[in-house]
Amino acid sequence: MVLLGLASAVLRWLAAHPGTVTAFLLAATAAAAAWVWRRKEATRWERVRARGLRYALGQLDGLHHRAFEFAVRDLMRRDGCADARQVGGRGDNGADVKATDPFGRRWVIQCKHRKDGWSGRPVGTPDLHVLNGTGRQVHRGDVLVMLTNGRITADAAHFAKSQRLHLVDRHLLAEWAAGSRPLWDLLRALPSGDGKPTPSPRE
């Protein structure tokens, strides 16, 4: 009864003050419109920022390994992978960044950050085993990438080729991060949307 009485009183007050109700509705509409506008502006500026995103190797070398993964995620977003996300951490099963490119290919990227860059411990064949074992079976990836700001051993390069893994070493990372071409334009033959290899300009 108390609630019904209160509701009745509120309705009588609203009926007696239609101008106040109208003003409230106008203010609420204006606030909602302003919120939508701010969201659109934030999205627009994020796109502008992403299009101009560049990293020098020195910047990447100085990052914490987790921040390095986020930088790779941001570069994939810059190139048009709107769903790119950082997933590295405990139990990541060999995936640090996952993304879908504009051609519908699912990318699984494992990142190996080296504080000493080229002078640091090289990425070897054992580093590729987890990516090779989980990239397709667990993560359903079409393009599996081992990416480092350091170097990669010759044995690892041979293994990667035999297993259809893609490698991004310090030199290729520098070209990608400081340039404007997407990673799929810089790598060798990649699967197309139907799973057939597509030659790249580097071949």
Side-chain angles (χ1 to χ4, degrees):
M1 293 298 292
V2 174
L3 290 177
L4 288 176
L6 181 60
S8 177
V10 169
L11 290 174
R12 285 196 301 273
W13 186 89
L14 291 175
H17 301 83
T20 301
V21 175
T22 301
F24 173 79
L25 291 175
L26 289 174
T29 301
W35 181 85
V36 170
W37 180 83
R38 284 196 297 270
R39 291 287 296 176
K40 287 183 177 179
E41 280 295 289
T43 300
R44 184 175 73 84
W45 280 111
E46 175 61 24
R47 289 174 180 164
V48 170
R49 185 197 69 80
R51 282 198 296 269
L53 182 64
R54 303 288 187 275
Y55 284 105
L57 274 177
Q59 290 176 284
L60 295 173
D61 290 344
L63 295 176
H64 180 272
H65 70 88
R66 191 70 69 224
F68 181 67
E69 296 169 7
F70 280 103
V72 171
R73 178 206 65 181
D74 291 344
L75 287 167
M76 293 298 286
R77 287 184 178 176
R78 178 199 72 182
D79 292 346
C81 302
D83 69 344
R85 64 191 190 280
Q86 185 276 342
V87 295
R90 187 181 299 277
D92 59 27
N93 289 319
D96 294 317
V97 176
K98 297 167 76 171
T100 306
D101 69 22
F103 305 100
R105 295 172 298 206
R106 294 177 298 278
W107 289 64
V108 177
I109 304 175
Q110 188 174 86
C111 302
K112 295 293 183 183
H113 184 263
R114 300 293 187 249
K115 289 188 298 183
D116 297 326
W118 191 261
S119 300
R121 181 174 63 84
V123 174
T125 304
D127 294 310
L128 296 173
H129 287 167
V130 173
L131 175 64
N132 189 48
T134 64
R136 296 183 181 91
Q137 296 89 332
V138 175
H139 301 294
R140 306 298 181 192
D142 300 308
V143 184
L144 312 185
V145 179
M146 174 63 73
L147 182 149
T148 181
N149 64 322
R151 54 198 170 95
I152 298 170
T153 67
D155 287 345
H158 290 310
F159 178 79
K161 186 174 182 179
S162 72
Q163 300 299 312
R164 294 181 296 120
L165 306 177
H166 300 275
L167 303 178
V168 177
D169 66 2
R170 185 172 182 83
H171 299 303
L172 187 55
L173 176 63
E175 184 177 356
W176 178 45
S180 57
R181 296 174 65 191
L183 190 54
W184 45 89
D185 280 355
L186 301 174
L187 290 174
R188 296 186 181 276
L190 297 175
S192 63
D194 58 7
K196 299 177 181 178
T198 302
S200 82
R202 294 181 68 86
E203 287 205 307

